[in-house]
């Protein structure tokens, strides 16, 4: 037990140093170059800077890299939970339509709330989009769980086909909203469908940190149960686990994490697919180590993808969803190839 704890402490310390190094490294890259003098000026003035490269570093670059790390960790966590819930490595909130459901609800909200002239309290405006995204995500989660278990119980192919159908339905609704949208609404819809972290700021960093901390506090006691749950529902029920309650809680957290990620960053695919599979191949199938490793790898993947998105076409910015799709699509094909016996 002592050796295990020492190993965990070593891995945690290494992961922390790696994240700090990545944050420092990626914050140097961008349209405005950052030098050591900018860091020194920032430290000496305590963040109270009104212009110059130090202002860019504090108000734009650092919030964005920290936000990318947190959103990537949230996507990696939701992906690990989804794969644990459906007990297969091909499950992912993006592939199964959860992210599309969240974006669909946001698109409906952007178009309909404006057309209906519904007045909103100014303090509520910030939370309207996340609430809509969460509603769409949790609706798709429950629909996916019920339809897949009803039509093709235990079938990976049936699960994926159900996700494709839900993705197509959500895409149709988003397309209809795009057709009905005004020019301003159309620009907003483009942001949600392609993914971007350009709207990041310290308030969003604080908001996702609070959400993430609360989710991790609750899930720490749920993750060990998922190891038994992964053996099958009959085994889990035999040892006294309340299957229905566990499924509902996992669905809630997947919808919450995915919904808020879509609300603030748009649709960013494949992070929740790649990170848990890499973690499982690296550390084995124990959820107690797979889930934290998925969070770490998800954060690193999105941080690197966003760094490419904002630097490869300076001064323009490429949507980050393009880079995650370039990485994730071939990876998904390889997963399909390795799982062809199960699909058959």
């Amino acid at each position: 037990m002592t050796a295990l704890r020492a190993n965990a402490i070593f891995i945690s310390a290494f992961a922390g140093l790696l994240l700090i190094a990545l944050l420092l490294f990626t914050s140097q890259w961008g349209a405005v170059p950052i030098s050591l003098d900018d860091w020194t000026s920032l430290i000496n003035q305590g963040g109270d800077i009104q212009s110059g490269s130090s202002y860019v570093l504090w108000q734009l670059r650092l919030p964005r890299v920290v936000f990318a790390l947190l959103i990537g960790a949230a996507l990696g966590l939701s992906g690990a939970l989804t794969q644990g819930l459906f007990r297969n490595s091909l499950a992912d909130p993006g592939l199964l339509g959860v992210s599309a459901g969240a974006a669909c609800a946001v698109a409906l909200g952007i178009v309909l709330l404006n057309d209906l002239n519904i007045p909103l309290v100014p303090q509520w405006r910030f939370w309207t989009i996340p609430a809509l995204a969460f509603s769409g995500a949790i609706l798709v989660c429950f629909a996916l769980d019920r339809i897949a278990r009803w039509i093709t119980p235990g079938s990976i192919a049936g699960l994926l086909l159900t996700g494709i159908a839900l993705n197509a339905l959500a895409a149709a609704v988003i397309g209809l909203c795009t057709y009905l949208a005004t020019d301003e609404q159309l620009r907003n819809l483009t942001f949600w469908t392609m993914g971007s972290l350009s709207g990041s700021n310290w308030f969003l960093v604080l908001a996702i940190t609070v959400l993430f901390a609360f989710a991790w506090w609750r899930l720490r006691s749920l993750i060990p149960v998922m190891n038994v749950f992964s053996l099958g529902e009959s085994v889990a029920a035999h040892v006294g686990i309340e299957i229905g309650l566990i499924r509902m809680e996992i669905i809630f957290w997947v919808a919450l994490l995915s919904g808020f990620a879509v609300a603030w960053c748009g649709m960013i695919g494949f992070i929740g697919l790649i990170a848990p599979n890499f973690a499982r191949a690296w550390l084995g199938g124990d959820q107690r180590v797979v889930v934290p490793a998925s969070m770490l790898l998800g954060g690193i993947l999105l941080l690197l993808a966003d760094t490419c998105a904002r630097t490869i076409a300076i001064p323009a910015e490429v949507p980050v969803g393009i880079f995650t799709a370039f990485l994730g699509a071939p990876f998904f094909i390889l997963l399909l190839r390795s799982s062809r016996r199960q699909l058959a």
Side-chain angles (χ1 to χ4, degrees):
M1 185 65 179
T2 304
L4 181 62
R5 178 168 296 184
N7 189 36
I9 293 174
F10 173 77
I11 293 176
S12 300
F14 175 77
L17 292 175
L18 176 63
L19 291 179
I20 292 173
L22 279 173
L23 288 173
L24 294 176
F25 176 75
T26 54
S27 63
Q28 307 298 313
W29 296 82
V32 177
I34 301 298
S35 65
L36 181 61
D37 292 338
D38 298 320
W39 285 98
T40 304
S41 176
L42 178 64
I43 294 172
N44 291 337
Q45 299 185 42
D48 186 19
I49 301 172
Q50 302 301 321
S51 62
S53 299
S54 297
Y55 176 84
V56 172
L57 175 63
W58 177 247
Q59 296 293 342
L60 301 178
R61 197 72 54 77
L62 281 178
R64 180 156 179 166
V65 297
V66 175
F67 192 58
L69 189 65
L70 291 171
I71 291 294
L75 293 173
L77 175 58
S78 64
L81 293 175
T82 304
Q83 293 178 13
L85 173 65
F86 294 108
R87 299 191 297 279
N88 75 78
S89 59
L90 295 174
D92 166 65
L95 293 174
L96 299 182
V98 179
S99 298
C104 176
V106 170
L108 285 172
I110 290 175
V111 175
L112 294 181
L113 287 179
N114 183 73
D115 291 343
L116 296 176
N117 294 320
I118 299 176
L120 291 175
V121 179
Q123 291 79 3
W124 291 3
R125 292 182 184 275
F126 176 79
W127 298 106
T128 302
I129 297 299
L132 289 169
F134 170 70
S135 301
I138 200 167
L139 180 62
V140 171
C141 280
F142 278 116
L144 182 69
D145 185 44
R146 294 294 183 267
I147 294 174
R149 287 161 59 85
W150 170 51
I151 298 178
T152 54
S155 169
I156 298 177
L159 177 67
L160 292 176
L161 290 174
T162 304
I164 291 172
L166 293 174
N167 260 315
L169 180 61
V173 176
I174 293 173
L176 179 61
C177 291
T178 302
Y179 178 76
L180 298 175
T182 63
D183 290 341
E184 181 180 356
Q185 293 169 351
L186 187 60
R187 286 192 294 271
N188 291 331
L189 290 175
T190 302
F191 166 80
W192 302 121
T193 53
M194 301 189 71
S196 174
L197 280 77
S198 59
S200 57
N201 54 59
W202 285 118
F203 181 78
L204 284 180
V205 169
L206 177 61
I208 191 63
T209 300
V210 172
L211 172 65
F212 202 74
F214 184 70
W216 180 243
W217 169 78
R218 180 62 191 97
L219 290 170
R220 284 186 62 185
S221 61
L222 187 64
I223 289 170
V225 180
M226 292 177 62
N227 281 326
V228 181
F229 190 73
S230 63
L231 299 175
E233 294 187 359
S234 58
V235 176
H238 183 71
V239 298
I241 296 177
E242 298 183 13
I243 299 173
L245 184 62
I246 295 297
R247 294 180 71 90
M248 288 186 63
E249 187 161 5
I250 293 175
I251 286 174
F252 171 81
W253 287 113
V254 168
L256 190 67
L257 293 168
S258 301
F260 273 62
V262 170
W264 289 330
C265 305
M267 293 177 62
I268 301 175
F270 293 105
I271 296 294
L273 175 70
I274 299 173
N277 278 284
F278 275 161
R280 199 174 295 108
W282 175 29
L283 299 169
D286 190 343
Q287 295 288 345
R288 293 173 296 177
V289 293
V290 168
V291 172
S294 300
M295 293 158 50
L296 173 65
L297 292 173
I300 292 173
L301 285 172
L302 186 56
L303 179 59
L304 294 177
D306 184 60
T307 302
C308 293
R310 59 184 173 80
T311 58
I312 199 170
I314 293 175
E317 180 176 319
V318 180
V320 69
I322 293 177
F323 288 93
T324 58
F326 273 130
L327 178 64
F331 184 81
F332 181 60
I333 293 174
L334 292 176
L335 273 181
L336 286 175
R337 183 177 182 275
S338 64
S339 304
R340 60 186 182 275
R341 290 184 179 178
Q342 299 179 31
L343 290 171

